[in-house]
Amino acid sequence: RLSEDIVDFLKRCQHPDGGFGGGPGQYPHLAPTYAAVLALCIIGTQEAYDAIDRPRLQIFLSKMHQQDGSYIMHADGETDVRGAYCAIVSGTLTNTIHDEMIENTAEWIASCQTYEGGFSAVPGTEAHGGYSFCGFAALVLLHKDTSCDIHKLLKWSVNRQMKLEG
């Protein structure tokens, strides 16, 4: 079955130190970790759930967390709001999130909201639709959605809608 092949492949993408790489033998990164956890949860079999090494995933996610609340995407990697979103979703779905792992994270994400209302990759840069989704969705998962200006976010989002593309 295809789902069994996918589980087998994703098992081979899981790094011994936790998290998932983009392919077998690759270093772990929050983006493929997010994708792998989602794929395994969507498959939804016991084999798929058991494929996730939850204790090592928790260690990996904790290592990616920075003191200011942000997340780096991989060891020595860049920080941006996508990292926080990927980590929070992965930790939430696997029930591996703990308080230290999200310390200062809601505040850091809220600091990525621009004066216009959207969210940027990091504080002080330009807002973008994808970052806005990641930032607000992460705040919702943390039950901290009121830590940003929702009205400004809504106005910013609505003003980005186009007649043809939506």
Side-chain angles (χ1 to χ4, degrees):
R1 269 182 26 158
L2 179 60
S3 62
E4 292 169 354
D5 291 343
I6 293 169
V7 171
D8 181 58
F9 174 75
L10 291 175
K11 281 183 184 176
R12 291 184 283 124
C13 294
Q14 194 163 206
H15 194 273
D17 294 335
F20 291 81
Q26 293 184 7
Y27 291 115
H29 187 288
L30 282 174
T33 296
Y34 162 80
V37 167
L38 260 59
L40 292 165
C41 289
I42 288 168
I43 290 170
T45 63
Q46 193 61 49
E47 179 189 17
Y49 295 137
D50 291 344
I52 302 168
D53 185 338
R54 291 175 59 248
R56 290 199 190 279
L57 175 62
Q58 186 177 54
I59 291 167
F60 170 69
L61 295 175
S62 294
K63 284 181 181 177
M64 298 303 102
H65 182 256
Q66 305 299 293
Q67 280 188 329
D68 66 357
S70 66
Y71 281 82
I72 52 176
M73 294 297 284
H74 55 87
D76 300 320
E78 73 277 16
T79 297
D80 69 51
V81 77
R82 295 172 307 147
Y85 171 73
C86 289
I88 291 164
V89 170
S90 298
T92 299
L93 285 174
T94 58
N95 200 28
T96 56
I97 245 174
H98 56 77
D99 288 343
E100 293 82 27
M101 187 187 296
I102 55 172
E103 187 174 347
N104 298 321
T105 299
E107 294 82 1
W108 183 83
I109 294 170
S111 75
C112 292
Q113 189 171 29
T114 70
Y115 70 94
E116 297 172 301
F119 286 81
S120 58
V122 294
T125 59
E126 183 180 4
H128 181 277
Y131 294 133
S132 295
F133 169 80
C134 289
F136 188 66
L139 290 175
V140 168
L141 288 171
L142 293 171
H143 307 287
K144 300 282 189 171
D145 50 294
T146 59
S147 63
C148 71
D149 189 330
I150 295 172
H151 297 291
K152 272 188 173 180
L153 174 60
L154 180 61
K155 182 178 180 181
W156 181 86
S157 299
V158 167
N159 285 316
R160 302 288 161 302
Q161 299 301 303
M162 303 297 291
K163 185 175 182 176
L164 295 176
E165 293 92 4

